Amino acid sequence: MTSNITRRRVITIYVAVALLAVFICLGLMVRVPYVALGPGPTVNTLGTAQSEETGKQVRVVKVVGGVDPNPKGNLNLTTVSLYDGLTLFEALGKWMSSSYELQPRESYFPPDRSDDEVRQENQAQMSGSEDNAVLAAWNYLKLPTAVGVTSVSDKSPAKGVLKDDDRILSVGGEPVATMERMSAVLGKHKPGDVVDVVFLRDGKQQTSAVTLASRPDDKSRPFLGVTMRSVPADPSKAIEFDVGSIGGPSAGLMMTLSIIDQMTPGDLSHGEFIAGTGTIDPSGEVGEIGGIDHKIRAAKDAGATMFLVPAANCSLATADAPDGIELVKVDMLSGALDALGTVGTDKPRPHC
């Protein structure tokens, strides 16, 4: 009798150990359909960062020909870290931490798109944000812009006519100071039309005739065959960005402020550690972003004393904000600059 009881106990222990081993294996190996979001790196748009291409330190935002090319202080863009491929145990660990939140993976990696496509889209959003930052800064400073050529497609109408770094001034006799204007002007033409393209190259204005082709994806629409971005019309001025692998549109406001800081005397930060976030459009409107709570926490941990918050994010920003960081509400670029102008004074600032 005693022998049978002992045998059952041993079997029970073996089964329990086996089940525990299976649970541990599942916890270590099974991937869950969730991602974890948490505070990400903050990057000083006035400073330098290590280039992913060369490994050397390069300026994050560099204005060639700026009035004040080396402003001091911090105007930090902020990011959200996204952890993918979580095991069950990793997800549980993140869920139990107060610094992270779990979200369905399909919200960030839709099932109808590959991971590479999602990353390319994020990089395209960053590129568009850089263009908007240039336009917003130049519009605020009341400086003219142009459409800059970044590459020319092989076997395109522009091949042999336009080159990288050319600045397109007009097409078919109509000025094209912005990307939107360029699209509108091209939209007035049809494939086969011959248009005069006026452009700057090495500071000299040139004119060449180009026969527009058909777009590969829509034969009824004209095709010039160049990749473009917004640039200063003055060829002695240029803006260079190197934000590494950061994607998305939310760094727009801080990159715009960095450009303006380098194009004006003095330091916008006035000795304070300023961080922030927000999309930007050419008119200077600051837009809502995601992950505001994580970005504020990352900024506070990095030493920021003031955070520029898009007005639409204020409710969430104040819900769980850490102590010791001032949340300044911003809806326009001009408002952000007005708020920065009060740093170091007793003048009031709009708060969330």
Side-chain angles (χ1 to χ4, degrees), residues 14 20 52 75 81 99 115 144 187 207 218 232-233 238 246 259 293 297 299:
Y14 280 148
L20 178 61
E52 294 184 353
L75 292 174
S81 288
S99 298
D115 292 358
T207 302
D218 186 345
I246 296 173
I259 294 170
D293 49 340
R297 188 165 297 279

Side-chain angles (χ1 to χ4, degrees), residues 139-155:
N139 289 338
Y140 177 83
L141 296 169
K142 295 179 171 55
L143 297 171
T145 61
V147 174
V149 177
T150 58
S151 65
V152 181
S153 302
D154 291 335
K155 299 180 181 179

